[in-house]
Amino acid sequence: FAIQKCELKDIHTFWDTIFCLAAFMTSGYAQNTFVFKTKRSEVILLSEGQFSNKKDVLIGLEKEMLDKSDTTALFKTALNAFLVKTRNGKNILVDTGLGRELFNNLAWAGVSPDMIDIVLITHLHGDHYRVLVKENKKTFPNAKIYISKEEYPSADENAKRVLKHYDNDLVLFEPGVDKPEIVCEKIKAWYITGHTPGHTVYQVDNLLIWGDVTHAMDYQMTFPQVAIVYDTNAKKAVENRKKLFDYIVKNNLTAAGMHIPYPAFGKVSVLSDGSYKFTPVKH
């Protein structure tokens, strides 16, 4: 991660700031990649890093929710993108991260930027699309960029500049509203809004990649009513988080997310008190 990639003029959101700082503050982390196989695809975690964030960005986290040993002011989080390698040879990115390790991770998977066929964007916060353009050129010259119709109008000026490079390769689509619906290559998409107006999650066979449905796994699984200051509609984010968790449990899916610490894949279960638990897959 080069310093010139993190100039002040490029920092537009809190997350941009955090991940730029993390690039210098974190000397290393356990792993950058993890492979999860579905029926028709191989889904590879592309980790940008593990770090901590301050609890004061969480909304509705009350003292009574914390046990006596939980005295730190921080919670664990991460930044991830995912590569879907389909059985028929397609290479599909789900988000891009900020590019700290993306290209090294792709090289490890045997994929170069010109081999990416599709980029599925969950939403238009900088840590999910920023690397679509490098040095004022398309990073993925042969890719179609998929963004939900509800999310596209929320693009800020920086997002508009980036997406302009893909004018002829931009696909605006309507995800499912009540359940996931096929969008491309048998991958399904579903509006799970609240974090942003058109926040979209993607289902690859028995795996559901939930984008930014959670940021603080240590708290938002046990207390899904806890929101975060970056949600555009905290009430809707909470409502849809519970809806998604119940869908995952009912359909016995594995889940993955952009801010779930390594290995970022796991199973969701419901506890006797009605709260939820996330159990990471073995690695």
Side-chain angles (χ1 to χ4, degrees):
F1 193 101
I3 289 178
Q4 61 266 30
K5 292 183 182 178
C6 193
E7 294 174 357
L8 185 60
K9 65 183 177 61
D10 293 325
I11 297 174
H12 295 271
T13 70
F14 172 87
W15 283 108
D16 295 345
T17 306
I18 283 295
F19 292 117
C20 284
L21 290 174
F24 305 117
M25 294 170 63
T26 308
S27 59
Y29 39 87
Q31 300 268 353
N32 289 342
T33 57
F34 185 89
V35 180
F36 182 87
K37 293 184 178 181
T38 72
K39 182 179 179 180
R40 288 184 291 262
S41 300
E42 188 176 69
V43 183
I44 302 173
L45 164 69
L46 308 173
S47 171
E48 296 270 75
Q50 322 292 307
F51 60 97
S52 298
N53 197 357
K54 292 183 178 181
K55 287 180 188 172
D56 59 12
V57 300
L58 300 177
I59 301 171
L61 182 63
E62 308 294 342
K63 288 183 179 180
E64 54 266 28
M65 295 178 179
L66 310 176
D67 61 44
K68 292 181 180 179
S69 64
D70 188 2
T71 57
T72 176
L74 304 172
F75 64 86
K76 293 179 291 185
T77 187
L79 174 59
N80 307 314
F82 296 89
L83 172 67
V84 181
K85 301 180 79 169
T86 69
R87 182 180 291 177
N88 65 353
K90 295 291 185 182
N91 294 307
I92 301 170
L93 273 181
V94 185
D95 287 347
T96 69
L98 285 171
R100 179 188 177 197
E101 291 292 339
L102 177 67
F103 303 103
N104 290 335
N105 290 339
L106 286 175
W108 175 88
V111 175
S112 58
D114 62 340
M115 294 169 63
I116 298 296
D117 299 291
I118 294 170
V119 181
L120 302 174
I121 300 295
T122 61
H123 64 293
L124 290 172
H125 285 171
D127 51 313
H128 298 264
Y129 72 85
R130 179 63 60 82
V131 199
L132 287 174
V133 170
K134 286 182 66 180
E135 298 176 352
N136 207 35
K137 294 180 181 178
K138 292 196 294 187
T139 307
F140 309 105
N142 300 313
K144 299 287 186 182
I145 312 301
Y146 282 65
I147 301 172
S148 71
K149 286 185 177 180
E150 290 295 323
E151 183 68 9
Y152 183 71
S154 72
D156 61 17
E157 289 305 312
N158 189 64
K160 289 176 182 176
R161 285 194 297 270
V162 169
L163 296 176
K164 185 69 176 176
H165 290 264
Y166 291 90
D167 267 355
N168 297 325
D169 296 300
L170 194 60
V171 180
L172 301 182
F173 67 97
E174 294 184 359
V177 176
D178 298 317
K179 63 180 181 178
E181 301 288 353
I182 290 178
V183 58
C184 66
E185 299 297 326
K186 297 185 179 180
I187 294 176
K188 298 177 180 180
W190 190 11
Y191 276 132
I192 296 294
T193 62
H195 182 56
T196 62
H199 182 270
T200 305
V201 305
Y202 296 97
Q203 185 173 339
V204 183
D205 300 326
N206 65 321
L207 173 70
L208 198 145
I209 302 175
W210 72 32
D212 280 18
V213 165
T214 59
H215 294 79
M217 294 294 288
D218 290 343
Y219 302 104
Q220 290 178 301
M221 298 302 301
T222 307
F223 308 107
Q225 68 269 34
V226 173
I228 197 164
V229 295
Y230 319 116
D231 293 334
T232 58
N233 185 329
K235 181 179 179 181
K236 181 63 70 173
V238 167
E239 176 185 318
N240 280 336
R241 182 179 301 115
K242 295 176 182 178
K243 174 182 175 181
L244 186 73
F245 288 172
D246 288 338
Y247 174 84
I248 291 170
V249 172
K250 179 181 178 180
N251 292 279
N252 192 28
L253 302 178
T254 299
M258 278 51 187
H259 301 300
I260 301 178
Y262 186 89
F265 297 91
K267 301 294 289 188
V268 177
S269 55
V270 182
L271 302 181
S272 58
D273 62 0
S275 65
Y276 301 87
K277 179 181 178 181
F278 184 84
T279 304
V281 297
K282 293 182 179 180
H283 62 281

